[in-house]
Amino acid sequence: MSLRARLVAATSLVALVALAIAALATYTAFSTSQLKQVDEGLQRTHEPVEKIIASGATGIDLEHQIEVVAPGTYIELQQEDGTKLLSIPSREVGHDELYANLGVLDDYKLPVSTQPGDADPSRFVTLPATEGSTELRVRVSRLDTGSYLAVGQSLHDVTESRRRLLEIEALVAAVALFVAGLVGWVLVRVGLRPLHRVEQTALAIADGGDLDQLVPGADRPTEVGRLASALNTMLGRIRTAFAERDTTEAALRTSEERMRRFVADVSHELRTPLAAVSAYSELFDRGARDHPADLERAMRGINLETARMHELVEELLLLARLDEGRPLERKAVDLSEVVVQAISAARTVAPDWPISLKVAEVVMVVGDAGKLRQVFDNLLANVRTHTASGTATAIDIRTRANSAVVTVRDNGPGMEPDQAARVFERFFRADASRSRRSGGAGLGMAIVHGIITAHGGRVRLDTRPGQGVVVEITLPRDQAADIIPTD
């Protein structure tokens, strides 16, 4: 059975129970009221009858006087010893002498202990219906003379009223139940309409797989509204989970691609020096050991290529340690001193590339002085590698809020936007041929980015073709150190 049918059935059942209770209460109240009216009528009737009996009338005259004041009423009079003094049968409309000689007082006499001075020495009894008649309501009383009087009235009209009431109640209950069922069906249909929309949306999502749809009615403060809100929340979490899965898969694919490219780049970088070492070894085996000039050239070449491989391995090892998050040395470092040392070394190696330094204040940072020195060595080495002789480099050290900022600016040819976007990637080189004449292994800027990030800082590159390259490094300043102004 569907939910709609169960709701309608439940509504109809509740209406049926309510109608049955109301009908029972109405019937009981009506019957009690009718019987009370009959009892009140008998109470009014027995008074004139008792007066006539007390007057001393007897025989035909007594019966005649009683029938005048209580026509159609059942009357029975009996002495205390059981001698019957009077018996007048009752009559219903269209019937002759019903309820005659019933002997009511033989069965329903009042107790002898009842005293003549009692407030109401009487009782009411209902005699069951006999063939061709209905029930008889009788008032039995004990007179002051000690005799007993029974006054009765037919319940024909009461019974008919009860029957008509039952018929009316049954008809009203049937109509009311039908109307309640019809109204309940309409209300349930209207009430479940939002739930039907929820069902349709859920089926559409299940069939089409479109998780961007929303279940309508979530803003309503109803049970269906809360259901729609819960479904929308569930759909949102599913969308988030799928998005995270897609992001994770994309990251895995990117990582796999980077790993493949990394392996290919490492293989490419190592292949040349390994081939050179192999060639020099072959040259040694072919007789260079017996010729001093060839021997010297072979040994010098082996040493050069070995140093090249050693440098590459050291750079890769440094990047691996940075990736693992190994702690760096944490000491107070004078940033200007580190930059000055890097400039001094660069001027010694390549005096044709002029370098200027501007320091507004001596700035202290917390970090590894050796690693920070490597950052500036790599930056200055990049200028020498990728710019022509005579290219000027300007370095500026200053503070910004709680950070130390170092800007390295050259007036070289600059870079294309797509090259600048990849400059911090490992093994990235602007020269697609990867010639050694156009740079090293392509790890310098990746090491710069890794070291600065490990120090909790940021590195940003700004460049345009023909406008040089600007590298801005931001590091957390050592708050415990004083800033010493310089001249």
Side-chain angles (χ1 to χ4, degrees):
M1 183 181 293
S2 65
L3 176 61
R4 181 179 303 169
R6 290 198 298 269
L7 289 175
V8 173
T11 303
S12 301
L13 180 60
V14 171
L16 178 61
V17 173
L19 289 171
I21 294 174
L24 179 62
T26 301
Y27 181 82
T28 302
F30 179 77
S31 299
T32 303
S33 175
Q34 291 288 87
L35 197 60
K36 183 179 180 181
Q37 291 179 8
V38 172
D39 291 345
E40 290 175 352
L42 293 175
Q43 187 72 21
R44 290 191 300 268
T45 301
H46 92 281
E47 295 177 357
V49 172
E50 286 185 1
K51 290 180 180 180
I52 294 173
I53 294 173
S55 66
T58 58
I60 300 299
D61 185 46
L62 178 60
E63 292 183 13
H64 178 70
Q65 291 183 36
I66 291 176
E67 289 180 351
V68 171
V69 298
T73 303
Y74 176 84
I75 302 295
E76 186 176 342
L77 182 62
Q78 188 180 103
Q79 288 184 346
E80 189 174 0
D81 60 2
T83 302
K84 185 177 294 186
L85 301 177
L86 180 64
S87 179
I88 301 176
S90 175
R91 292 178 175 84
E92 291 182 359
V93 180
H95 296 274
D96 296 330
E97 295 188 2
L98 297 176
Y99 311 110
N101 298 318
L102 296 178
V104 175
L105 296 176
D106 295 336
D107 300 322
Y108 298 100
K109 284 183 181 180
L110 293 174
V112 177
S113 60
T114 303
Q115 300 300 319
D118 289 345
D120 187 17
S122 62
R123 67 166 60 171
F124 291 89
V125 295
T126 301
L127 301 182
T130 60
E131 185 177 356
S133 65
T134 57
E135 295 177 325
L136 180 69
R137 184 68 171 175
V138 178
R139 180 185 185 275
V140 179
S141 62
R142 189 166 182 267
L143 304 179
D144 294 339
T145 60
S147 59
Y148 295 94
L149 173 65
V151 180
Q153 180 180 337
S154 172
L155 296 181
H156 177 271
D157 293 339
V158 175
T159 303
E160 287 297 316
S161 299
R162 292 175 179 175
R163 184 182 59 79
R164 287 195 298 270
L165 177 60
L166 288 175
E167 292 176 352
I168 293 172
E169 286 182 336
L171 179 60
V172 171
V175 174
L177 190 61
F178 173 77
V179 172
L182 181 61
V183 173
W185 183 83
V186 174
L187 292 178
V188 169
R189 182 179 179 85
V190 173
L192 293 181
R193 190 172 297 166
L195 188 60
H196 180 68
R197 290 196 293 266
V198 171
E199 177 188 2
Q200 294 300 319
T201 304
L203 290 176
I205 293 174
D207 293 338
D210 185 8
L211 296 177
D212 292 330
Q213 295 190 53
L214 293 178
V215 178
D219 55 340
R220 297 178 180 176
T222 61
E223 289 79 2
V224 178
R226 289 193 291 271
L227 173 61
S229 178
L231 289 176
N232 286 338
T233 301
M234 180 187 69
L235 290 174
R237 292 177 179 175
I238 292 175
R239 286 194 297 269
T240 301
F242 281 149
E244 291 177 353
R245 184 199 64 181
D246 294 340
T247 302
T248 302
E249 290 180 352
L252 290 175
R253 288 194 295 269
T254 303
S255 177
E256 183 180 0
E257 181 62 27
R258 289 180 59 185
M259 180 59 68
R260 290 177 179 176
R261 188 167 63 248
F262 173 81
V263 173
D265 290 336
V266 171
S267 301
H268 181 83
E269 292 296 330
L270 291 176
R271 182 175 58 185
T272 301
L274 286 174
V277 169
S278 177
Y280 287 127
S281 298
E282 185 178 354
L283 178 63
F284 179 82
D285 291 338
R286 289 184 178 182
R289 71 184 71 181
D290 299 328
H291 300 82
D294 292 338
L295 179 61
E296 180 183 359
R297 183 164 64 91
M299 291 298 102
R300 186 172 61 252
I302 291 175
N303 289 334
L304 180 63
E305 298 302 329
T306 302
R308 179 179 170 186
M309 287 189 291
H310 181 268
E311 178 184 0
L312 176 61
V313 171
E314 287 295 327
E315 290 178 345
L316 290 175
L317 181 61
L318 174 59
L319 288 173
R321 289 173 177 172
L322 293 175
D323 290 340
E324 292 176 358
R326 293 188 181 182
L328 301 175
E329 187 179 38
R330 310 294 292 179
K331 293 183 179 180
V333 178
D334 184 348
L335 198 57
S336 59
E337 181 179 348
V338 173
V339 175
V340 168
Q341 293 174 359
I343 293 175
S344 177
R347 286 173 176 171
T348 302
V349 174
D352 295 335
W353 279 265
I355 305 172
S356 62
L357 174 63
K358 179 180 179 181
V359 182
E361 50 200 7
V362 177
V363 182
M364 303 297 293
V365 297
V366 177
D368 189 325
K371 295 295 187 296
L372 292 175
R373 166 68 187 276
Q374 187 173 359
V375 168
F376 297 107
D377 286 342
N378 286 1
L379 292 177
L380 294 176
N382 272 350
V383 174
R384 296 193 302 270
T385 301
H386 300 290
T387 63
S389 176
T391 300
T393 303
I395 301 179
D396 180 23
I397 302 177
R398 64 188 185 279
T399 61
R400 180 190 301 158
N402 294 324
S403 301
V405 181
V406 181
T407 303
V408 181
R409 183 190 308 269
D410 67 59
N411 60 354
M415 301 176 66
E416 296 292 338
D418 58 335
Q419 296 175 341
R422 299 182 55 195
V423 72
F424 295 113
E425 294 182 7
R426 299 174 185 182
F427 294 105
F428 170 74
R429 294 172 59 185
D431 182 11
S433 67
R434 305 186 65 83
S435 170
R436 293 297 296 180
R437 292 189 301 273
S438 61
L443 296 176
M445 293 302 288
I447 291 175
V448 169
H449 182 271
I451 292 175
I452 296 301
T453 302
H455 280 79
R458 300 186 308 275
V459 57
R460 184 177 64 86
L461 185 139
D462 184 15
T463 181
R464 290 180 179 84
Q467 297 186 13
V469 175
V470 178
V471 178
E472 183 182 85
I473 295 173
T474 304
L475 291 169
R477 185 163 55 87
D478 184 4
Q479 300 295 322
D482 294 330
I483 301 176
I484 306 173
T486 60
D487 295 333

